[in-house]
Amino acid sequence: MTKESESIEMAKLLLTGNRRALAKAITLVESTKQQDRALSSELLREALPKSGKSLRIGISGVPGVGKSSFIEIFGLELIKRGHKVAVLAVDPSSPVSGGSILGDKTRMEELSQHENSFIRPSPTSGSLGGVAAQTREAIFLCEANGFDIILIETVGVGQSEFEVSSMVDLFMVLMVPAAGDELQGIKKGIIELSDLLIFNKADGDLLTMAENSKNQYTGALSIVKKNSFWSPIALTCSCLNKTGFEEIIEQVFKFQSKAKTEHVFESKRQTQKKAWLKSYFYKDIHRYVQSQDKLNSLYSELEAQVFNGLISTEHASKELIKRLFKDGPNEQL
Ligand SMILES: Nc1nc2c(ncn2[C@@H]2O[C@H](COP(=O)(O)OP(=O)(O)O)[C@@H](O)[C@H]2O)c(=O)[nH]1
Ligand SMILES: [Mg+2]
């Protein structure tokens, strides 16, 4: 079979809702092997027209806040309502921590076995295009495979939150209930990103504190209007007692229908697409430069000169572009 027909066959199987084809397709887009790249972009080209019809939800929070436990219950509740739920993880630390995937599978035991769910752990970081780019492509593949809710779990540290928020429709942050003065310390940036702020572990000794945290935030959030149609909302839940999920789901779909009726849904996705094109373009150019010996050594030379204060960053960049256009690209781009 030629490479091209191989990817078309794979795409066909993917579009029928075949789960193994989805797993294989994601492995392919994650592959760094040169021969897989052509196959992968062919596959994406076939899948892309069938993607996009889902609600993409980012779920963030510090390790131990209960993201995996939350996804188990939230996912099963959504399935009960007739949805098909895919879970993707963006965890830049996973190759280091290693064991997190095993822990997640046991916390999402029922969900991972359900026929209307699909769970995929984080790709290995440092691979081609980066974890975030591959997750974005995995979203398209899950959608083409028939999933209408995509949950993207990310650890609430560093850059990954921003990357995930740039590929989802709705971003929720899980938090541990805390006393009033501790709440002040929570990063402002997180609140600006989030549409729903959820205090988990609202049970036992933490129940009162969770309610207090929620009330305190509700006051503060009413002033933060993210955009014309939605102000972030604070809620509580308990994965232990399975409480609070009814209201969370209600708010999620309220958000979706408001975003759609006020035409924010599509325009946000368009903005995200533009931003991603830009980022792919820059990454491709950078990768091309790295793949060409002459260009790469010029890059290193200029980098050293910038580092030593001999030339400006702007000058270095212009020199590189000059050389790039002079030599011209080749098929490796
Ligand atoms: N009491 C209580 N414990 C919870 C709740 N949700 C999660 N946990 C516990 O918190 C720990 C971390 O949960 P996990 O889902 O792995 O968190 P993650 O690291 O954010 O994915 C586990 O021991 C859970 O059993 C909850 O609602 N109430
Ligand atoms: Mg987890």
Side-chain angles (χ1 to χ4, degrees), residues 61-70 104 107 153 200-203 237-240:
V62 294
V65 66
K67 294 179 295 299
S68 302
S69 314
F70 177 89
D104 282 352
R107 296 234 161 74
E153 176 184 349
N200 186 33
K201 309 198 183 186
D203 49 56
C237 76
S238 162
C239 297
L240 194 68

Side-chain angles (χ1 to χ4, degrees), residues 77-293:
E77 282 297 323
L78 290 165
I79 288 173
K80 251 193 234 166
R81 288 162 171 79
H83 296 284
K84 292 180 82 181
V85 179
V87 182
L88 304 170
V90 179
D91 182 358
S93 66
S94 71
V96 185
S97 61
S100 70
I101 294 158
L102 200 70
D104 282 352
K105 280 269 174 183
T106 51
R107 296 234 161 74
M108 297 192 257
E109 201 175 1
E110 211 184 319
L111 184 66
S112 65
Q113 286 168 18
H114 203 289
E115 58 171 347
N116 288 332
S117 85
F118 176 82
I119 299 180
R120 181 81 178 192
S122 184
T124 327
S125 69
S127 44
L128 197 80
V131 172
Q134 285 164 4
T135 303
R136 197 167 170 269
E137 286 163 357
I139 294 177
F140 300 147
L141 296 173
C142 289
E143 290 172 345
N145 195 241
F147 288 94
D148 67 337
I149 305 262
I150 318 286
L151 306 179
I152 299 137
E153 176 184 349
T154 183
V155 186
V157 283
Q159 184 65 13
S160 69
E161 269 167 337
F162 293 96
E163 287 184 337
V164 170
S165 73
S166 77
M167 60 178 98
V168 297
D169 307 308
L170 185 156
F171 193 74
M172 55 169 87
V173 178
L174 297 193
M175 297 206 290
V176 190
D181 48 345
E182 289 171 46
L183 279 180
Q184 310 286 326
I186 290 168
K187 289 183 279 176
K188 248 205 184 125
I190 306 275
I191 297 170
E192 276 154 22
L193 284 182
S194 59
D195 301 301
L196 291 180
L197 220 69
I198 299 170
F199 292 94
N200 186 33
K201 309 198 183 186
D203 49 56
D205 293 344
L206 288 176
L207 179 60
T208 318
M209 212 188 263
E211 286 301 329
N212 289 343
S213 303
K214 178 190 123 172
N215 292 336
Q216 208 177 334
Y217 261 80
T218 302
L221 291 175
S222 59
I223 324 165
V224 193
K225 211 162 184 165
K226 277 190 75 175
N227 41 46
S228 57
F229 88 105
W230 189 261
S231 302
I233 290 176
L235 296 166
T236 61
C237 76
S238 162
C239 297
L240 194 68
N241 297 338
K242 300 189 179 176
T243 51
F245 287 85
E246 194 72 37
E247 192 177 356
I248 293 169
I249 289 175
E250 195 185 306
Q251 291 296 344
V252 163
F253 288 113
K254 192 173 157 193
F255 177 94
Q256 186 188 28
S257 72
K258 272 197 103 183
K260 284 196 168 164
T261 50
E262 305 200 16
H263 309 291
V264 183
F265 197 85
E266 262 315 304
S267 67
K268 185 171 169 183
R269 284 202 176 175
Q270 302 297 9
T271 309
Q272 289 177 343
K273 277 186 205 162
K274 282 190 200 163
W276 277 94
L277 170 62
K278 200 168 167 181
S279 124
Y280 271 62
F281 178 62
Y282 290 160
K283 269 195 193 128
D284 271 347
I285 289 190
H286 192 229
R287 202 169 60 222
Y288 178 74
V289 170
Q290 282 177 322
S291 74
Q292 303 297 301
D293 288 345

